[in-house]
Amino acid sequence: GAVVSQHPSWVICKSGTSVKIECRSLDFQATTMFWYRQFPKQSLMLMATSNEGSKATYEQGVEKDKFLINHASLTLSTLTVTSAHPEDSSFYICSARDRLDFSAGAYEQYFGPGTRLTVT
Amino acid sequence: GDSVTQMEGPVTLSEEAFLTINCTYTATGYPSLFWYVQYPGEGLQLLLKATKADDKGSNKGFEATYRKETTSFHLEKGSVQVSDSAVYFCALSRLNNQGGKLIFGQGTELSVKP
């Protein structure tokens, strides 16, 4: 149980275009999803916290107009990188918290396999 | 603010050697503590966790004990295998820290040679 998928697993796009990454919780409902960015050989940097049905909360320094997050259902959150540039190339990872876990007082996050974005 | 500090890598060991990866944290109250593992090209997988002082988390031969007095959560394994080669992340989470977001350490790369 507790499987999170991401699509696509990797994507190459041209500078100036937009790309959408999907994050799905496959066997549980996630009221909260998180989006991270990871550079090579570095830790995960939290970009934003996404709550179903409401606006995402962005971390300091993350451009909300560039990284659009939508969490329209209890099983799907999307991250759209708008007008992508080479410096946006990175590994993007989402995680989700099970609605039932949270109600029980556990705060574990289940991670997706990540999406590697390359902007040329 | 909350923070997690891990020993720097990379750590290189021979198969069947003993592993320790140090992790210390700074946080108010009683956070939950986690170890995540990331295999090459993959996302993170939860390895083990502990939610209160003196709890011991264990999984796949790995274990870590939540030490409140030393604010530590060191990861140990008695005999590592080549398949344990990965990056290990220590993390903490507090409910009143913006809804339980995870604070990660910088990660420690482990390489196990046959």
Side-chain angles (χ1 to χ4, degrees):
Chain A
V3 178
V4 176
S5 70
Q6 281 184 241
H7 178 80
S9 55
W10 59 271
V11 57
I12 301 173
C13 70
K14 292 188 182 297
S15 188
T17 62
S18 296
V19 60
K20 180 184 286 187
I21 302 169
E22 292 186 348
C23 176
R24 292 182 185 273
S25 57
L26 297 186
D27 50 3
F28 64 98
Q29 293 181 329
T31 49
T32 304
M33 290 183 170
F34 302 84
W35 286 96
Y36 297 84
R37 184 172 178 176
Q38 186 181 31
F39 292 101
K41 296 190 180 298
Q42 293 189 27
S43 189
L44 280 73
M45 181 193 79
L46 180 65
M47 300 175 66
T49 302
S50 163
N51 290 298
E52 185 265 337
S54 62
K55 290 184 178 180
T57 301
Y58 290 82
E59 295 297 302
Q60 196 170 14
V62 177
E63 298 176 63
K64 59 182 67 177
D65 293 332
K66 180 167 188 62
F67 298 100
L68 301 178
I69 292 171
N70 182 277
H71 191 162
S73 78
L74 286 172
T75 60
L76 173 65
S77 177
T78 60
L79 167 68
T80 301
V81 183
T82 62
S83 187
H85 291 284
E87 57 265 30
D88 298 324
S89 299
S90 192
F91 195 51
Y92 292 89
I93 302 175
C94 74
S95 70
R97 194 162 54 211
D98 189 325
R99 177 177 64 88
L100 295 178
D101 277 356
F102 190 65
S103 300
Y107 317 122
E108 181 176 338
Q109 292 180 26
Y110 304 98
F111 285 80
T115 296
R116 184 160 302 286
L117 170 63
T118 301
V119 185
T120 61
Chain B
D2 297 345
S3 67
V4 176
T5 302
Q6 291 178 233
M7 64 185 284
E8 287 194 22
V11 173
T12 302
L13 296 174
S14 298
E15 206 165 21
E16 300 184 2
F18 184 86
L19 168 71
T20 299
I21 300 178
N22 290 338
C23 170
T24 57
Y25 68 90
T26 301
T28 55
Y30 298 88
S32 295
L33 301 174
F34 306 85
W35 276 102
Y36 283 88
V37 58
Q38 184 179 33
Y39 297 101
E42 299 183 12
L44 272 68
Q45 301 174 27
L46 177 67
L47 182 59
L48 52 84
K49 65 181 179 183
T51 58
K52 60 183 188 295
D54 299 326
D55 266 3
K56 177 184 283 188
S58 61
N59 186 28
K60 299 180 181 179
F62 291 89
E63 58 181 36
T65 301
Y66 189 145
R67 301 286 188 200
K68 180 74 174 169
E69 63 278 12
T70 54
T71 62
S72 66
F73 193 54
H74 304 322
L75 182 69
E76 296 182 336
K77 186 175 185 183
S79 176
V80 294
Q81 305 300 313
V82 173
S83 57
D84 294 327
S85 298
V87 181
Y88 292 81
F89 292 93
C90 184
L92 69 81
S93 176
R94 288 193 297 118
L95 176 59
N96 57 352
N97 178 18
Q98 297 183 31
K101 70 178 184 180
L102 283 169
I103 306 295
F104 285 94
Q106 67 269 42
T108 302
E109 183 179 2
L110 170 66
S111 177
V112 180
K113 306 297 184 186

